[in-house]
Amino acid sequence: MINGERTIQRPLRWGMVGGGRTGQVGYKHRTGALRDGTYQLVAGAFDLDAERGRDFGINLGVSEGRCYATYQDLIAGETGREDGVDVVSVATPNFTHFEITKALLEAGIHVICEKPLFFTVEECEIVAKLAEEKGLIVGVTYGFTGHPLVHQMAAMVAKGMLGDIRIVDMQYTHGFNAGDDTNAGDAVKWRTNPATAGSTFVLGDIGTHLYYLSEVVLPEMKIEKLLCDRKAFIPTRAPLEDHATVLMHYDNGARGRLWVSSVNAGNMGSQRYRFVGSKASVEWSDSHPDQLIYEVQGEPNQILHHGMPYLEEEGLKYDRMGGLHTEGLGDSWANIYLWIAEAIDAKLRGDEDFLKTHHYPGINAGTEGVRWLENCVRSADAGAAWVEYA
């Protein structure tokens, strides 16, 4: 169980690019990073509007002299200080991720980046090589996989409690883009523009969460081929999609189905995962993150609760509140940021053995998410055709 004791040698000096007053995700980053005393927010280029960003940073407790106008200014200012940042989070629109991440790494600064990581696998490979050469960590904020019961599911699969996995069924939908974009805010506009979002909208924005979580639960299963059918129900969003279905064939013979949509009118936003084996099934939803449905063939269904001693060790060690109290998204983000901090700390100490077994969403996780998106787009653009996974 996580209880807030420091697990690294010292708090990391942390900065942010983006995540300012008008951003949608900045507070999630700060909620996660500042929970356990493993990060101290000391610098930022929080906003394209430099004055607004400076005012916002000061209100967060950052000194005025370390509230920068641009990420280039942040790099120049921080690399010249003895107490400069160790790590910077990139919470900006997709099209900026590659250039900012690359510049930070070149300056010797660890990076935590939003997803989807970059536009192409080629860009991911460039950054992976650079990070390795520099001895730096690139973390990716797949913020839902910090929930303890996700790791309970992974342990149950690994220990054979479900038998051979046959079916993977996942969805992440909401209705917040069910109407047209006439009065849409900036966050919608850049997400539906190929120049700023990349080759996908909902597949990249929310579908990659589904795909990465399935990788955490099913690390040994690989996709052999997939079919992606996508559509823009709001025509102005084309060629990007606001709705998509992906069918997947895995190398063990299992079949997968994934549904993402932002036009599921009336739905407030929900994820659901069901993993079906030859012996039993498990089902989990972020709407009830403290409960896991466990269904063994021929036995009464069970509801497992987080924090309870009957869970596997892997499902207990990331718990924060105990079985009596419900954990939420902030707790999940806190775990993600803690794991990345521990990876950075290991790099600073030169402890490569620790990194060989330590779990955190890193550059490989980000790369595989982009690879999945590239295959989805290739299938959809071929008329929803089956494509060999490459």
Side-chain angles (χ1 to χ4, degrees):
M1 183 174 180
I2 295 171
N3 63 7
E5 289 185 87
R6 188 175 297 159
T7 60
I8 64 176
Q9 58 183 345
R10 63 167 174 82
L12 299 174
R13 296 184 294 271
W14 176 52
M16 293 191 74
V17 176
R21 183 173 291 147
T22 62
Q24 290 186 321
V25 299
Y27 186 63
K28 297 183 182 72
H29 285 267
R30 291 185 290 276
T31 294
L34 301 175
R35 182 73 63 88
D36 297 313
T38 49
Y39 298 81
Q40 292 179 341
L41 183 60
V42 298
F46 298 104
D47 202 310
L48 287 173
D49 183 319
E51 187 55 43
R52 185 171 62 190
R54 184 178 297 108
D55 181 65
F56 180 72
I58 291 170
N59 285 338
L60 292 177
V62 178
S63 66
E64 182 175 0
R66 300 177 81 173
C67 295
Y68 300 97
T70 68
Y71 78 86
Q72 294 96 331
D73 292 339
L74 183 150
I75 291 172
E78 293 298 310
T79 52
R81 301 176 62 109
E82 283 190 13
D83 62 348
V85 291
D86 298 302
V87 55
V88 169
S89 291
V90 180
T92 57
N94 299 354
F95 75 103
T96 66
H97 291 177
F98 177 69
E99 67 176 51
I100 297 174
T101 298
K102 186 169 179 287
L104 288 164
L105 292 174
E106 288 171 342
I109 300 170
H110 299 276
V111 180
I112 301 171
C113 189
E114 267 293 333
K115 38 51 58 193
L117 190 54
F118 307 129
F119 279 2
T120 67
V121 169
E122 182 181 7
E123 290 177 337
C124 294
E125 291 172 345
I126 290 170
V127 165
K129 182 180 179 182
L130 177 60
E132 183 176 4
E133 290 172 351
K134 293 283 190 176
L136 298 168
I137 294 294
V138 177
V140 185
T141 51
Y142 288 112
F144 295 98
T145 55
H147 283 290
L149 290 183
V150 172
H151 300 272
Q152 171 70 18
M153 290 191 290
M156 294 170 77
V157 169
K159 296 176 182 181
M161 295 172 67
L162 306 188
D164 297 328
I165 299 300
R166 294 172 171 172
I167 301 167
V168 180
D169 192 24
M170 304 177 283
Q171 77 172 63
Y172 188 172
T173 65
H174 63 78
F176 285 94
N177 301 125
D180 65 35
D181 294 338
T182 302
N183 297 311
D186 290 341
V188 173
K189 290 178 180 176
W190 76 252
R191 282 179 169 85
T192 56
N193 180 354
T196 50
S199 59
T200 71
F201 171 24
V202 293
L203 283 163
D205 195 41
I206 57 180
T208 49
H209 283 298
L210 295 172
Y211 178 67
Y212 176 64
L213 191 146
S214 73
E215 285 193 304
V216 172
V217 176
L218 308 169
E220 303 302 320
M221 284 174 48
K222 306 301 177 186
I223 299 172
E224 286 191 334
K225 60 182 180 179
L226 62 70
L227 179 154
C228 176
D229 181 21
R230 64 174 179 166
K231 179 178 176 63
F233 280 99
I234 306 302
T236 55
R237 295 174 186 155
L240 306 189
E241 77 293 333
D242 49 29
H243 169 93
T245 305
V246 184
L247 302 179
M248 294 166 286
H249 288 185
Y250 292 89
D251 57 0
N252 70 334
R255 297 296 188 258
R257 179 181 64 176
L258 180 150
W259 172 33
V260 288
S261 179
S262 66
V263 294
N264 186 11
N267 185 264
M268 288 298 293
S270 62
Q271 295 176 56
R272 185 185 64 82
Y273 301 82
R274 184 172 178 83
F275 302 101
V276 180
S278 56
K279 298 178 183 178
S281 305
V282 288
E283 185 168 323
W284 178 82
S285 170
D286 71 330
S287 296
H288 300 281
D290 55 331
Q291 298 180 355
L292 178 65
I293 300 172
Y294 180 37
E295 300 171 342
V296 180
Q297 181 61 33
E299 299 181 11
N301 294 348
Q302 301 176 52
I303 297 179
L304 310 182
H305 289 263
H306 82 94
M308 296 301 292
Y310 52 69
L311 297 177
E312 305 303 308
E313 178 185 353
E314 296 88 339
L316 287 171
K317 65 181 179 179
Y318 302 134
D319 195 88
R320 289 174 174 268
M321 297 297 167
L324 184 62
H325 305 291
T326 300
E327 298 200 0
L329 184 59
D331 302 292
S332 180
W333 274 76
N335 284 345
I336 296 294
Y337 260 92
L338 176 62
W339 299 336
I340 296 172
E342 290 170 340
I344 293 171
D345 178 70
K347 275 291 186 184
L348 293 172
R349 293 184 289 103
D351 190 350
E352 293 297 325
D353 288 339
F354 175 84
L355 288 168
K356 290 176 183 177
T357 59
H358 180 60
H359 168 81
Y360 72 98
I363 185 65
N364 290 336
T367 300
E368 291 312 307
V370 175
R371 190 185 314 279
W372 180 76
L373 290 174
E374 285 189 345
N375 279 275
C376 287
V377 171
R378 187 159 58 91
S379 167
D381 288 353
W386 284 100
V387 298
E388 297 296 322
Y389 201 78

